[in-house]
């Protein structure tokens, strides 16, 4: 079926009754619309696929979403959407969406067990959940509750704080937790803002930025090249970013740290740093002798023996980076911040490179977002004092003081805590928008979940985690809700976009904020009342947020505008870190770290697993640009583009093992094994096996994604907290690519 604009509108409008399983002709589909389609209304909203929240104009007819495209003039998306954002309608109208609350009738739990779902009302579901939570707390204390969820939105965070939840777990140890810690102590806080378009030298360690489909970044990189900037990409494999870069340099997996340390050695040893910035705005002078002595050991020749990158190239690139101003070395998430045991040290080294370049909150560098101040629920309706958090951390996070400070993570040690450290401690768990596929060694997480007496899962689709639940709640998605989204990616001046519903929630889907309010009424009512004693109203709360932020008289007024901007000159900061002892300066040497179990300067530690006789190959995973982690594989459009994953190997490796294109191979690691077809590609080094993340869903209720591909996490070992502390992984990097494997044909 050729997908023209006309028949796209026809099929999308059919909604759940006729969501297409395969559409085809994407060349036509991914063209921007021209002009307002006849008989349709335009709604301005914001994408919710990923955090830059690109502006959207949605075309709606007779209450049904017909088409999505970028918002002209929007700074984040530049008037465009990526493939995932454009295909959002198929997430809204996915025929497999969870439609109403359900309760399990089969007491046996497992990925291949039929839960025996029966439909129940929201009232029944909420009453049962509240009863189970209260029963758990009364009998075992709050440490027996496990919430696998982000702390957002603020109403949901308020509920967990009001309940005294100790064990809230999220994925950020697999994402940007380490960079949050490092930037807090080195420059003043995690920033998502990179002024790529004004950079003259962009140094990328491993981050395949152009293949991640974050338009806010990709557009800036492209503009930098147009403006004469140089892009250097260190990466083991040849990627889309490698092709775009001026220079691609292959590197052994997990050794970026060695190169970064050697670059600092050159820049400091040859006094190439931005002396004006470093002298005035950093603690270099106070700790100069310690800094120089520390980095003296990390020569380019030393780094070459570890990384495979020639010493002459390291020295040349270090000099270019220091001399070509302004320069930037970004650290976004995952690839640099979480993949290896040494990721915390790497992001510290990268932060130092940016400080030495003198581009912290300066044009062409990392800068802090200028944003509208949107108050949270606690500012509008101040709560009673929250109860103290009492009890043990099941993931062992309390053994890592810096991680405990930022209140993020930890996925990677959760199963070990539940199965080995504190077996039976968790009696009740609530999962929101997370699936076991996001964990290293996901089958270990399945076994851990089986030990929990009662589990609630709230999601949009019947994921593998849903299969293990006792009660399932259908969640609304971003195209069904309202919010004010303040930009924190492209944010040289305040910009806030209205996220407004383009469709009423499908069937009985509700928001997690609504669930927080309803559970709060049942379990901790004093935290969900206004000063006059009435219940908090979510619409009134949003109106008040908008008004206090100066975005409009109320949300209706704000959404009529769609996007509110306050253009103003960019004034660089003169004060930075606010932690005690920092004196408002960027910190290269972090004197606060030793007391918190960390090194004040980054030192070399190796990746967790190295190739050996049993497992001779590096195992690398990646998130394809087509999909959002493990959440879009059931989207009919995106599924057609990429329905499954493969073991991607170099032809030389294939020849060595007698493997042909498409042949099924067996991969083994110390954590597990999996089978999937081979795909031969010269872009992968001969000692690496690459597998895309997000596949291997087993849920039979996912009509497209179920049974397709293999779980990449089956080969990735999870960890104990003791492993992290022993290795000096003080930032809790989850080591999600720190594995090695063997391969054999079947």
């Amino acid at each position: 079926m050729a997908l023209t604009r006309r028949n796209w509108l026809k099929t999308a409008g059919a909604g759940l009754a006729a969501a297409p399983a395969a559409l085809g002709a994407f060349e036509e589909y991914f063209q921007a619309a021209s002009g307002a389609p006849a008989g349709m209304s335009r709604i301005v909203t914001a994408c919710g696929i990923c955090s830059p929240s690109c502006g959207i104009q949605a075309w709606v007819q007779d209450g049904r979403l017909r088409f999505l495209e970028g918002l002209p003039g929007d700074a984040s998306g530049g008037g465009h959407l990526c493939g995932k954002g454009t295909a959002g309608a198929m997430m809204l109208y996915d025929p497999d969406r969870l439609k109403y609350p359900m309760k399990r009738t089969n007491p046996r739990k497992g990925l291949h067990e039929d839960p025996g779902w029966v439909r129940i009302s929201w009232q029944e579901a909420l009453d049962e959940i509240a009863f189970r939570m209260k029963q758990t707390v009364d009998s075992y204390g709050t440490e027996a509750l496990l919430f696998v969820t982000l702390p957002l939105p603020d109403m949901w965070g308020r509920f967990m704080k009001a309940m005294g939840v100790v064990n809230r777990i999220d994925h950020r140890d697999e994402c940007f937790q380490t960079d949050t810690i490092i930037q807090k102590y080195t420059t003043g806080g995690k920033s998502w803002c990179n002024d790529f378009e004004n950079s003259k030298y962009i140094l990328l360690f491993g981050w395949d930025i152009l293949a991640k489909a974050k338009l806010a970044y990709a557009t800036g990189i492209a503009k930098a090249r147009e403006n004469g900037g140089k892009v250097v990409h260190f990466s083991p494999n040849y990627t889309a970013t490698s092709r775009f870069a001026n220079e691609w340099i292959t590197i052994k997996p997990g050794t970026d740290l060695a190169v970064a340390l050697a670059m600092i050695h050159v820049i400091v040893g040859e006094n190439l740093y931005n002396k004006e910035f470093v002298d005035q705005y950093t603690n270099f002078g106070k700790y100069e002798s310690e800094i120089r002595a520390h980095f003296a050991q990390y020569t380019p020749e030393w780094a070459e023996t570890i990384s495979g990158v020639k010493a002459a190239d390291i020295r040349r690139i270090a000099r270019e980076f220091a001399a070509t101003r302004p320069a930037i070395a970004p650290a976004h998430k995952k690839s640099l911040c979480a993949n290896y045991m040494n990721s915390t040290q790497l992001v510290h080294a990268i932060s130092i490179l940016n400080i030495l370049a003198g581009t912290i909150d300066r044009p062409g560098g990392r800068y802090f977002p200028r944003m509208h101040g949107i108050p949270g629920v606690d500012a509008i309706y101040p709560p009673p004092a929250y109860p103290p958090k009492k009890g043990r951390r099941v993931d062992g996070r309390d053994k890592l003081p810096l991680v405990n400070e930022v209140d993020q993570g930890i996925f990677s040690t959760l199963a070990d805590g539940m199965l080995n450290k504190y077996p039976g401690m968790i009696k009740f768990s609530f999962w929101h928008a997370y699936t076991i596929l996001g964990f290293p060694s996901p089958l270990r997480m399945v076994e851990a979940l089986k030990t929990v007496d009662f589990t609630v899962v709230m999601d949009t689709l019947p994921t593998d985690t849903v299969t293990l639940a006792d009660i399932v709640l259908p969640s609304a998605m971003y195209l069904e809700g309202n919010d004010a989204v303040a930009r924190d990616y492209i944010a040289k001046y305040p910009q806030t976009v209205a996220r407004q519903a383009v469709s009423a929630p499908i069937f009985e889907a509700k928001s997690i904020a609504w669930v927080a309010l309803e559970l709060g009424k049942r379990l901790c009512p004093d935290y969900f009342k206004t000063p006059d004693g009435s219940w908090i109203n979510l619409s009134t709360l949003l109106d008040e947020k908008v008004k206090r932020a100066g975005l409009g008289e109320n949300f209706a007024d704000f959404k009529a505008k769609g996007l509110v901007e306050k253009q103003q000159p960019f004034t660089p900061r003169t004060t930075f870190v606010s932690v005690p002892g920092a004196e408002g300066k960027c910190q290269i040497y972090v004197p606060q770290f030793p007391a918190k179990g960390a090194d004040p300067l980054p030192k070399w530690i190796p990746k967790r697993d190295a190739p050996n006789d049993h497992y001779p190959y590096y195992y690398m995973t990646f998130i394809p640009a087509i999909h959002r982690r493990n959440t879009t594989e059931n989207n009919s459009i995106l599924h057609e583009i990429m329905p499954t994953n493969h073991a991607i190997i170099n032809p030389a490796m294939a020849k060595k093992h007698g493997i042909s294109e498409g042949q099924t191979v067996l991969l083994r690691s110390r954590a597990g094994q999996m089978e999937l077809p081979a795909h031969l590609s010269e872009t992968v080094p001969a000692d690496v096996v690459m597998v895309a993340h997000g596949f291997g869903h087993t849920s039979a209720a996912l009509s497209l994604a179920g049974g397709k591909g293999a779980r990449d996490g089956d080969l990735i070992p999870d960890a104990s907290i003791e492993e992290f502390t022993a290795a000096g992984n003080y930032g809790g990097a989850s080591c999600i690519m720190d594995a090695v494997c063997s391969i054999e044909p079947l």
Side-chain angles (χ1 to χ4, degrees):
M1 170 182 174
L3 183 59
T4 63
R5 181 176 178 77
R6 178 174 295 178
N7 60 36
W8 157 250
L9 298 177
K10 183 177 179 181
T11 54
L16 290 164
L23 294 172
F26 292 97
E27 293 82 0
E28 290 190 57
Y29 173 57
F30 287 116
Q31 292 177 7
S34 56
M40 296 189 190
S41 59
R42 172 183 175 268
I43 297 177
V44 172
T45 187
C47 189
I49 297 290
C50 68
S51 43
S53 303
C54 295
I56 288 177
Q57 50 184 357
W59 300 101
V60 177
Q61 185 178 47
D62 300 328
R64 290 191 181 276
L65 173 63
R66 303 291 183 147
F67 197 78
L68 297 172
E69 61 182 339
L71 179 66
D74 172 52
S76 186
H80 306 287
L81 293 178
C82 71
K84 297 186 290 286
T86 310
M90 291 298 99
M91 298 173 70
L92 175 67
Y93 294 129
D94 192 322
D96 297 335
R97 277 191 68 174
L98 295 170
K99 300 171 178 63
Y100 33 73
M102 298 186 294
K103 185 174 182 177
R104 185 184 204 91
T105 60
N106 179 4
R108 297 187 307 276
K109 291 184 179 179
L111 291 181
H112 301 288
E113 289 282 353
D114 180 358
W117 298 120
V118 293
R119 180 177 180 176
I120 59 175
S121 69
W122 269 103
Q123 183 80 11
E124 291 175 287
L126 293 165
D127 287 346
E128 175 80 0
I129 294 167
F131 171 77
R132 294 283 188 160
M133 283 190 68
K134 185 176 187 307
Q135 183 184 58
T136 298
V137 173
D138 289 347
S139 300
Y140 304 102
T142 53
E143 72 175 12
L145 303 174
L146 171 66
F147 278 66
V148 184
T149 173
L150 288 169
L152 306 170
D154 53 1
M155 282 287 285
W156 184 230
R158 185 174 179 129
F159 172 71
M160 289 184 282
K161 287 185 286 187
M163 289 298 297
V165 171
V166 178
N167 286 299
R168 185 194 65 79
I169 308 290
D170 64 48
H171 76 290
R172 286 168 173 167
D173 61 312
E174 298 184 338
C175 204
F176 58 88
Q177 172 180 279
T178 57
D179 202 34
T180 300
I181 294 166
I182 292 300
Q183 288 200 49
K184 173 183 176 181
Y185 281 91
T186 58
T187 59
K190 174 66 176 172
S191 175
W192 302 101
C193 298
N194 297 295
D195 188 17
F196 289 131
E197 58 266 35
N198 290 310
S199 293
K200 293 301 181 183
Y201 204 96
I202 301 173
L203 183 64
L204 300 173
F205 286 101
W207 182 15
D208 191 13
I209 185 171
L210 295 181
K212 298 309 173 192
K214 277 189 166 49
L215 298 182
Y217 288 155
T219 302
I221 293 278
K223 287 180 179 177
R225 284 293 310 271
E226 291 173 3
N227 295 335
K230 181 173 182 177
V231 178
V232 175
H233 190 220
F234 288 101
S235 174
N237 57 311
Y238 188 66
T239 71
T241 303
S242 304
R243 292 192 293 273
F244 181 83
N246 300 81
E247 191 171 356
W248 166 59
I249 300 175
T250 188
I251 186 172
K252 292 180 182 178
T255 66
D256 303 76
L257 173 61
V259 173
L261 292 172
M263 286 187 62
I264 298 171
H265 166 96
V266 173
I267 294 170
V268 170
E270 298 181 9
N271 296 315
L272 302 176
Y273 51 85
N274 186 323
K275 191 174 188 326
E276 179 182 358
F277 183 90
V278 168
D279 287 351
Q280 188 169 357
Y281 299 114
T282 83
N283 69 353
F284 180 83
K286 187 174 183 179
Y287 296 99
E288 183 172 358
S289 60
E290 291 92 338
I291 293 168
R292 290 187 181 278
H294 178 79
F295 289 107
Q297 62 190 305
Y298 297 122
T299 66
E301 288 72 22
W302 164 84
E304 179 178 352
T305 64
I306 291 173
S307 67
V309 180
K310 293 180 179 179
D313 287 333
I314 296 173
R315 190 168 276 107
R316 172 180 57 82
I317 291 168
R319 290 167 177 165
E320 289 177 357
F321 179 81
T324 311
R325 299 178 182 176
I328 185 172
H332 178 52
K333 54 186 182 181
K334 188 181 180 293
S335 299
L336 308 181
C337 306
N339 279 0
Y340 301 108
M341 190 68 85
N342 59 25
S343 290
T344 312
Q345 286 77 7
L346 174 60
V347 293
H348 190 177
I350 289 174
S351 194
I352 291 172
L353 285 172
N354 285 292
I355 293 170
L356 294 175
T359 53
I360 305 299
D361 207 58
R362 298 296 185 270
R366 278 183 179 175
Y367 65 95
F368 296 97
R370 278 61 172 165
M371 301 169 67
H372 290 114
I374 302 176
V377 61
D378 284 5
I380 294 172
Y381 301 122
Y386 288 119
K389 295 181 180 181
K390 297 180 180 179
R392 298 164 290 179
R393 284 287 310 193
V394 68
D395 59 354
R397 195 185 74 182
D398 51 309
K399 306 297 191 300
L400 299 173
L402 287 164
V403 180
N404 232 28
E405 264 184 21
V406 299
D407 193 23
Q408 296 175 357
I410 300 178
F411 266 23
S412 47
T413 60
L414 178 58
D416 180 71
M418 293 176 70
L419 293 171
N420 299 326
K421 298 292 189 307
Y422 306 111
M425 185 178 91
I426 300 299
K427 303 294 184 182
F428 173 98
S429 71
F430 194 117
W431 292 60
H432 175 237
Y434 278 130
T435 170
I436 57 166
L437 267 67
F439 286 76
S441 297
L443 293 181
R444 288 253 294 161
M445 197 63 242
V446 171
E447 294 307 307
L449 263 178
K450 289 180 182 179
T451 69
V452 179
D453 292 345
F454 196 81
T455 291
V456 180
V457 177
M458 185 170 185
D459 215 321
T460 57
L461 289 171
T463 67
D464 289 0
T465 315
V466 166
T467 305
L468 301 165
D470 293 283
I471 282 184
V472 176
L473 305 177
S475 179
M477 49 94 72
Y478 69 94
L479 292 171
E480 299 167 314
N482 298 321
D483 202 0
V485 182
R487 289 285 164 66
D488 60 354
Y489 272 65
I490 306 295
K492 292 178 183 176
Y493 55 86
Q495 315 151 48
T496 300
V497 64
R499 176 174 288 147
Q500 54 181 308
V502 303
S503 167
I506 300 295
F507 292 105
E508 295 183 17
K510 302 286 187 181
S511 72
I512 190 67
W514 183 86
V515 170
L517 177 59
E518 292 302 314
L519 289 177
K521 291 176 181 178
R522 290 163 169 81
L523 290 167
C524 42
D526 290 345
Y527 292 89
F528 292 89
K529 292 181 179 179
T530 65
D532 66 9
S534 61
W535 296 115
I536 293 174
N537 179 281
L538 295 177
S539 295
T540 303
L541 174 63
L542 183 54
D543 285 341
E544 193 64 27
K545 288 182 178 184
V546 165
K547 184 176 181 179
R548 294 193 186 191
L551 303 173
E553 288 300 311
N554 50 39
F555 186 72
D557 181 32
F558 173 49
K559 75 178 184 179
K561 303 172 185 176
L563 178 68
V564 172
E565 300 177 315
K566 184 181 179 182
Q567 297 202 20
Q568 58 191 35
F570 180 86
T571 303
R573 281 192 185 190
T574 56
T575 59
F576 298 90
V577 181
S578 59
V579 298
E583 301 175 348
K585 293 186 175 184
C586 294
Q587 299 194 128
I588 295 173
Y589 182 99
V590 183
Q592 299 85 3
F593 273 4
K596 300 172 185 291
D599 299 304
L601 291 166
K603 68 179 184 181
W604 167 253
I605 66 171
K607 71 189 293 289
R608 178 171 58 176
D609 289 4
N612 54 62
D613 291 342
H614 294 292
Y615 307 113
Y617 301 116
Y618 294 102
Y619 177 67
M620 295 176 60
T621 66
F622 68 101
I623 299 173
I626 294 157
H627 289 295
R628 181 185 184 269
R629 300 191 187 95
N630 40 56
T631 61
T632 59
E633 288 76 23
N634 209 63
N635 181 302
S636 58
I637 293 174
L638 303 178
H639 176 86
E640 182 181 334
I641 301 173
M642 188 177 183
T644 189
N645 55 357
H646 298 78
I648 308 173
I649 60 175
N650 189 280
M653 181 192 291
K655 183 178 180 181
K656 177 180 178 181
H657 291 281
I659 297 169
S660 58
E661 175 69 29
Q663 183 176 3
T664 300
V665 296
L666 174 65
L667 303 180
R668 299 179 194 265
S669 77
R670 66 180 176 92
Q673 64 182 51
M674 64 183 180
E675 298 177 12
L676 69 174
H679 173 60
L680 278 54
S681 173
E682 294 281 2
T683 64
V684 180
D687 58 353
V688 167
V689 178
M690 288 194 69
V691 176
H693 174 67
F695 299 90
H697 301 263
T698 62
S699 173
L702 293 171
S703 58
L704 296 179
K708 296 292 178 64
R711 291 181 299 263
D712 64 305
D714 283 358
L715 266 63
I716 301 172
D718 62 351
S720 69
I721 206 69
E722 289 78 14
E723 287 180 78
F724 283 2
T725 55
N729 185 2
Y730 62 86
S734 66
C735 309
I736 51 176
M737 208 156 69
D738 215 333
V740 290
C741 71
S742 64
I743 186 171
E744 59 184 275
L746 294 178

